[in-house]
Amino acid sequence: MSLNSTLKAQHKPFPIIDVLIPAYNEEGSIGKVIQDIPKSVRHVIVVNNNSKDNTRQVAEKAGAIVLDEPVMGYGKACLTGMSYLPNLDVEPDILVFLDGDYSDYPEQLLDVIEPVLKQDYDMVIGSRARGNRESGSMTLPQVFGNWLATSLMKVIYKTDYSDLGPFRAIKWDKLKGLGMVDQNYGWTIEMQIKAAKAGLKTTEVPVDYRKRIGVSKVSGTIKGVIGAGYKILWTIWRYR
């Protein structure tokens, strides 16, 4: 049974879903990402994070709302996108986070939000560890880093995450209550830790993963790998 059919049977309206995409120099991929997002989404919001290419123009042409955030940082871009939503006439029910490099499969968005709609979960992580990964789509440091971080969270916070994947959905009111502050590499793990500490009902669904278009800003450089690893470990320690 489709999501629409399930909701109709439960006498529930389809929720308002917005998608937030932080983007830095993603002109070659951002249009593909937006094109593959299911049409049941209300707004696609791309935060142009100081790009030096045509990311803004391509995203606008593809139909996205584009915000500019000149201060670099994944978390900073996400916070900018979140700050836009209260200005809308109607705020979303669910916010989905998605990367702009076309490594995720945007069409799997309906799979990611399904536990929210059918089982009233508060947050769903798209787990690359549980899905099918194209060979070479994740580097060895990424795989090890995800394993180490999720293992430490399991011990310290009693969680059962398998991934820190960026493809995720969360009820908007629950996200606002988490008080997110991280402005760079610690964003995804901060959300997962705070969700656990707040007692949110969370789960994971398998998502597929492929080689990104372009060069990764994190795994593509030694500085990025070290910086991300340090920030993730610091965030785990900080909120213990």
Side-chain angles (χ1 to χ4, degrees):
M1 182 181 291
S2 69
L3 285 178
N4 269 320
S5 298
T6 299
L7 292 174
K8 286 180 180 178
Q10 298 173 347
H11 304 289
K12 295 180 180 178
F14 201 87
I16 298 173
I17 304 164
D18 290 336
V19 176
L20 177 55
I21 307 175
Y24 170 67
N25 290 347
E26 305 289 8
E27 67 176 6
S29 57
I30 192 65
K32 297 178 183 293
V33 174
I34 296 168
Q35 178 182 338
D36 287 356
I37 292 174
K39 302 308 179 187
S40 50
V41 163
R42 179 181 65 169
H43 295 314
V44 177
I45 300 163
V46 173
V47 182
N48 178 36
N49 197 200
N50 202 34
S51 297
K52 307 303 181 186
D53 62 3
N54 293 316
T55 294
R56 162 175 267 285
Q57 293 88 333
V58 174
E60 283 184 327
K61 185 176 180 179
I65 296 170
V66 182
L67 310 175
D68 289 314
E69 175 48 69
V71 179
M72 295 290 293
Y74 184 89
K76 180 67 173 175
C78 290
L79 288 167
T80 295
M82 286 176 58
S83 70
Y84 173 80
L85 297 177
N87 298 320
L88 298 172
D89 290 339
V90 179
E91 296 181 45
D93 298 306
I94 300 171
L95 185 62
V96 175
F97 291 87
L98 185 63
D99 275 356
D101 57 16
Y102 209 49
S103 54
D104 298 306
Y105 288 76
E107 60 269 25
Q108 293 183 326
L109 181 146
L110 295 178
D111 297 326
V112 175
I113 66 169
E114 184 171 358
V116 180
L117 304 186
K118 287 188 173 182
Q119 299 165 280
D120 201 32
Y121 277 94
D122 298 313
M123 183 176 77
V124 182
I125 305 296
S127 172
R128 300 165 296 183
R130 300 182 189 274
N132 298 311
R133 296 199 310 264
E134 181 183 3
S135 177
S137 60
M138 291 182 70
T139 64
L140 185 59
Q142 280 181 295
V143 174
F144 174 75
N146 272 315
W147 172 83
L148 178 61
T150 54
S151 297
L152 289 172
M153 281 195 288
K154 183 175 292 188
V155 172
I156 298 172
Y157 301 105
K158 312 305 179 187
T159 58
D160 193 30
Y161 302 122
S162 66
D163 194 8
L164 307 180
F167 196 0
R168 54 184 60 201
I170 183 169
K171 291 179 180 177
W172 173 237
D173 61 337
K174 300 296 185 181
L175 177 58
K176 289 191 290 185
L178 294 183
M180 296 291 294
V181 296
D182 195 274
Q183 298 193 8
N184 46 58
Y185 302 122
W187 174 266
T188 55
I189 197 168
E190 179 195 6
M191 188 187 300
Q192 287 169 250
I193 290 172
K194 286 186 171 180
K197 290 172 70 70
L200 299 192
K201 185 180 178 183
T202 64
T203 190
E204 293 183 332
V205 298
V207 294
D208 300 330
Y209 202 65
R210 59 192 160 204
K211 292 179 183 178
R212 59 158 293 144
I213 295 176
V215 178
S216 171
K217 290 77 180 174
V218 178
S219 61
T221 66
I222 294 176
K223 179 181 177 182
V225 170
I226 294 173
Y230 171 81
K231 187 58 180 289
I232 288 169
L233 293 175
W234 164 244
T235 303
I236 293 173
W237 177 257
R238 174 185 180 186
Y239 290 109
R240 74 195 189 286

